[in-house]
Amino acid sequence: MKLFIDIGGTHLRSELQMPSGVISDSVSSQEHDLISFIEKKLELYPFITFIGISYAGQIYKGEILSAPNIALKEPKIKEYFESRYDLRLEIDNDLNCAAMAEADYFKSDSLLALYVGTGIGSAFIDEGRLIRGSKNMAFEIGHIPYKQTSLRCGCGKTNCLELYASASGLQKWMEHLKMPILSFSELENSKNKQKRGIALDFKEALLFATATLITLTNPKIIVFGGGVIEHNPQIVEYLKENIEGQAFSGSLCGLNFYISSLENGAMSGAKLLEENIYE
Ligand SMILES: [Zn+2]
């Protein structure tokens, strides 16, 4: 039996693979702690031999270094479970997982994944290798300095791009301006100028992130995913229409834009962790 988990700032999703089929589960990641969630699964299904986790945070060698959008109980999660149970556990950053799954889907060796959900994240595969950085934190696009605000990011800073181009950022702006909480499309189509302004700030920040990443990485494919993109594919049309003049023109030559076709790229990537292709 194998257990696969995708945990972000909003959902904790799991898939238990058994000889008789798959059991899927989805709970709130704000109300459920990851360690207790896995322990309960192991109590019910003691024959789990592999756990693959896609995690919306900074991961290095089986340890959670930080998690701006998730409450954290036990950072050394790999050691915690492998020392207590007869199983193997692999965990990686959610965008790394998503990029692995997208590269697998597109059969591409040069791909940039940019996902917008609760947070915003990116990962880059070049010549078939995932570019990780020394502590597996490369391409943390959400936390690059963008504009100074009176809001605070989950990472502690007040100027992160994620404060503009993410679902959590949109929510922070609506709360700050004492507005009712609306969806992105409700903001975008509102008659109210201030509400439309939040959506426009979001799109401009995402365009900046997209242009910056394309200029830095020069991929063959850029693929957009995550809940906000899934529900608002028009955002990618906006990016395509406005990318010229933003990204370095040479990097745009031959570049293909896609919206993810995967139901859950991060979860698909969690399933690839067992093979260690992108070690
Ligand atoms: Zn931040």
Side-chain angles (χ1 to χ4, degrees):
M1 269 187 210
K2 294 170 191 175
L3 177 65
F4 300 107
I5 291 174
D6 161 39
I7 178 165
T10 311
H11 301 288
L12 193 179
R13 297 188 173 97
S14 72
E15 276 187 33
L16 182 71
Q17 285 187 355
M18 300 190 293
S20 56
V22 175
I23 298 177
S24 300
D25 197 3
S26 178
V27 296
S28 158
S29 58
Q30 298 299 316
E31 290 163 24
H32 289 79
D33 161 70
L34 178 61
I35 300 289
S36 316
F37 181 87
I38 297 173
E39 281 176 334
K40 269 182 211 152
K41 290 281 180 200
L42 288 167
E43 219 172 278
L44 283 168
Y45 307 99
F47 299 114
I48 293 171
T49 54
F50 181 81
I51 301 175
I53 306 171
S54 159
Y55 192 95
Q58 287 68 48
I59 309 292
Y60 183 61
K61 294 190 172 174
E63 185 179 344
I64 301 164
L65 299 183
S66 62
N69 299 313
I70 306 170
L72 183 57
K73 185 171 150 190
E74 173 51 63
K76 293 188 177 177
I77 185 164
K78 181 178 169 71
E79 187 188 302
Y80 181 89
F81 282 103
E82 290 187 350
S83 64
R84 284 168 175 79
Y85 301 86
D86 186 20
L87 56 77
R88 186 177 142 223
L89 184 148
E90 298 296 340
I91 180 168
D92 205 341
N93 168 265
D94 58 342
L95 256 293
N96 286 353
C97 288
M100 293 175 204
E102 298 290 359
D104 193 50
Y105 176 83
F106 285 101
K107 305 282 174 251
S108 176
D109 63 353
S110 170
L111 176 143
L112 179 72
L114 180 51
Y115 274 39
V116 190
T118 310
I120 172 171
S122 59
F124 177 45
I125 288 177
D126 185 44
E127 296 186 326
R129 279 188 61 229
L130 183 66
I131 306 302
R132 292 184 176 277
S134 66
K135 288 269 181 175
N136 201 26
M137 288 186 210
F139 300 108
E140 277 292 353
I141 191 73
H143 306 286
I144 63 167
Y146 180 61
K147 282 181 192 173
Q148 193 57 45
T149 69
S150 47
L151 308 178
R152 192 169 293 278
C153 180
C155 77
K157 296 199 295 127
T158 53
N159 60 356
C160 291
L161 188 122
E162 185 162 297
L163 290 167
Y164 289 89
S166 71
S168 61
L170 289 173
Q171 183 168 344
K172 281 173 186 170
W173 279 110
M174 287 182 269
E175 284 167 358
H176 179 68
L177 297 169
K178 301 193 175 10
M179 283 179 190
I181 300 299
L182 302 173
S183 69
F184 179 81
S185 60
E186 285 171 327
L187 287 170
E188 198 179 29
N189 298 318
S190 169
K191 291 192 171 71
N192 178 295
K193 199 177 162 194
Q194 194 181 39
K195 288 176 184 163
R196 280 201 316 277
I198 296 176
L200 185 60
D201 284 349
F202 173 101
K203 291 196 290 187
E204 285 178 351
L206 185 56
L207 179 64
F208 176 79
T210 306
T212 302
L213 285 166
I214 290 170
T215 305
L216 284 174
T217 64
N218 183 211
K220 285 182 194 162
I221 287 176
I222 179 165
V223 57
F224 296 87
V228 179
I229 299 293
E230 199 181 304
H231 294 115
N232 304 279
Q234 76 278 11
I235 294 172
V236 177
E237 286 308 309
Y238 166 86
L239 297 172
K240 276 163 77 174
E241 282 163 18
N242 292 281
I243 196 69
E244 254 176 69
Q246 298 293 321
F248 178 58
S249 61
S251 308
L252 290 172
C253 188
L255 174 67
N256 290 300
F257 280 66
Y258 292 101
I259 293 177
S260 178
S261 298
L262 303 172
E263 196 184 317
N264 180 344
M267 179 68 96
S268 303
K271 293 174 191 169
L272 296 175
L273 292 175
E274 193 180 8
E275 296 159 37
N276 269 345
I277 307 168
Y278 293 99
E279 205 173 358

